[in-house]
Amino acid sequence: MDVAHCKLDGNADAVEFCPHGSHHHVLAASTYTLQEGDKPTRNGSISLFNVDAEESKLELFYRLDTAGIFDIKWSPVSGNAGPLLAQADADGHVKVYSLECTVDEPEAKGGFLREINSEKISSSMCLCLDWNPSATSMTVGLSDGSVSIISLAESQLEILQEWKAHDFELWATSFDIHQPHLVYTGSDDCKLSCWDIRDSPARLAFLNSKVHTMGVCCITKSPSDPNTLLTGSYDEYLRVWDVRSISKPVSETSVRLGGGVWRIKHHPFVPGLILTACMHNGFAVVKVDGEKAEVIETYTKHDSLAYGADWQRGGRPLESKRKNNLVATCSFYDQHLRIWMPESEIPA
């Protein structure tokens, strides 16, 4: 069910609902636009929206011009800080913003982003990032195949470690939310790696280079099962892994989604329910149950590359029989942002 939509000011590549308490209605969307020429430039923006499904409202209340952005992530609720938004950009910077509320708008319906930290990580582009569960550090993937671990101090970002993890662009990196001393990385070299950052330099815990037939685009640990890891690849497969036996996926067939699997988002309260952005084939809602993975719904209202996707946290019920399963998605060249709800029955 479509709720609302709008066009952004540039090529849209990421959307993130704020996970923090009174800010669940806040949606961040980022853009990356390449201006070609003798001196090409990569420009971007972050836009903040107030989302209200009951009123079919998608209201822009703040916008910030930036360098071209590849990824944004809100800090996890388990951290001690309030809502922080981190960006990875084409200028090689990681920037961290605090979500500030105006005095007369305590729920951020008139808020803004205040930059609190910025660090030049590399001369290469910062392609992706992820927070550790305590929101004290981040892992950052770079276009030269390196990965950086950076700490977040009150006054600055500090690079703790950096090493060459892959041969090509590193599009995916994430912390193991159950064992945050482990960091996963994936790249255009088709390799999935896990690193133990308790050692310096980080020690390779495992490497799989035989399963993905094209580049690895995204990696995420299941929040409900400490042994389950999911990966998405340009080869169009969503794969389910058991980290106790990483030599092959749990399911040999996994599930083919008809487009490169660029992003994976777990439902905030339904275990095994996955939202995926599938590049040339729109978006899909997938149910993963043990060794089975099946598509339960697809969304094809976008007319360009499907890159950004997220579930809203803590929504209010719109119908007596189901919770508010609100979804935000965005597509690249048509610059569209859409808010919708799956038509399929989703268990509470």
Side-chain angles (χ1 to χ4, degrees):
M1 180 180 76
D2 289 311
V3 174
H5 63 90
C6 71
K7 187 173 183 179
L8 298 175
D9 60 292
N11 298 337
D13 57 7
V15 288
E16 294 279 324
F17 273 109
C18 184
H20 292 260
S22 61
H23 307 289
H24 287 157
H25 62 281
V26 176
L27 175 69
S30 65
T31 67
Y32 168 93
T33 303
L34 173 64
Q35 304 289 343
E36 297 185 12
D38 294 336
K39 296 182 178 180
T41 59
R42 296 174 171 87
N43 301 317
S45 66
I46 299 174
S47 298
L48 298 182
F49 294 87
N50 171 31
V51 178
D52 189 329
E54 290 184 331
E55 298 182 9
S56 298
K57 181 188 291 185
L58 177 61
E59 177 185 49
L60 175 69
F61 67 83
Y62 180 78
R63 183 182 170 279
L64 175 69
D65 288 324
T66 66
I69 293 177
F70 285 102
D71 199 12
I72 53 173
K73 292 280 171 51
W74 291 102
S75 58
V77 176
S78 53
N80 294 324
L84 301 176
L85 184 67
Q87 78 174 47
D89 68 39
D91 286 350
H93 281 88
V94 169
K95 294 187 177 183
V96 179
Y97 306 92
S98 173
L99 177 60
E100 305 287 338
C101 304
T102 55
V103 176
D104 57 343
E105 295 284 358
E107 293 186 350
K109 294 178 181 177
F112 61 96
L113 294 176
R114 178 175 62 89
E115 183 179 314
I116 61 171
N117 280 304
S118 176
E119 182 70 24
K120 177 79 169 179
I121 302 299
S122 173
S123 58
S124 300
M125 295 184 290
C126 294
L127 302 181
C128 55
L129 58 80
D130 188 41
W131 294 84
N132 71 343
S134 60
T136 55
S137 64
M138 286 179 274
T139 175
V140 183
L142 305 176
S143 59
D144 67 355
S146 299
V147 60
S148 291
I149 306 298
I150 60 177
S151 67
L152 177 62
E154 289 187 3
S155 59
Q156 64 180 6
L157 295 171
E158 179 184 357
I159 300 175
L160 300 178
Q161 292 194 53
E162 183 172 312
W163 68 94
K164 183 76 169 180
H166 293 271
D167 298 326
F168 302 110
E169 287 88 346
L170 200 155
W171 291 110
T173 184
S174 66
F175 281 96
D176 187 314
I177 57 177
H178 302 100
Q179 301 179 84
H181 61 277
L182 298 178
V183 169
Y184 300 102
T185 59
S187 165
D188 277 350
D189 60 11
C190 308
K191 296 176 182 178
L192 168 65
S193 300
C194 178
W195 308 85
D196 190 331
I197 60 173
R198 290 175 296 185
D199 295 334
S200 183
R203 176 177 58 84
L204 183 64
F206 67 73
L207 167 68
N208 185 292
S209 59
K210 298 180 180 179
V211 172
H212 299 98
T213 60
M214 298 180 73
V216 180
C217 305
C218 52
I219 307 167
T220 179
K221 192 78 179 291
S222 168
S224 59
D225 183 351
N227 297 318
T228 297
L229 183 76
L230 286 87
T231 62
S233 170
Y234 288 122
D235 65 16
E236 304 185 356
Y237 280 94
L238 172 70
R239 290 180 171 87
V240 183
W241 302 77
D242 187 330
V243 293
R244 295 170 298 183
S245 177
I246 207 67
S247 60
K248 63 179 181 179
V250 168
S251 171
E252 287 289 355
T253 56
S254 297
V255 59
R256 190 172 187 176
L257 298 181
V261 184
W262 184 257
R263 206 173 294 271
I264 301 169
K265 289 296 182 72
H266 294 274
H267 194 280
F269 56 81
V270 181
L273 192 65
I274 312 298
L275 173 67
T276 61
C278 305
M279 296 183 70
H280 294 283
N281 199 38
F283 300 86
V285 179
V286 180
K287 180 63 177 176
V288 176
D289 185 7
E291 296 186 7
K292 297 180 181 179
E294 62 175 337
V295 177
I296 61 174
E297 186 166 339
T298 59
Y299 185 81
T300 57
K301 298 291 182 69
H302 290 268
D303 297 321
S304 182
L305 288 170
Y307 274 157
D310 200 16
W311 302 95
Q312 187 183 40
R313 281 77 164 171
R316 295 170 298 180
L318 288 184
E319 299 176 14
S320 59
K321 293 185 179 180
R322 65 176 182 176
K323 293 189 177 183
N324 181 355
N325 296 292
L326 200 64
V327 169
T329 51
C330 71
S331 44
F332 197 65
Y333 293 113
D334 62 1
Q335 305 177 355
H336 278 174
L337 168 63
R338 292 184 174 272
I339 309 297
W340 52 280
M341 293 179 65
E343 300 284 352
S344 304
E345 188 71 21
I346 292 177

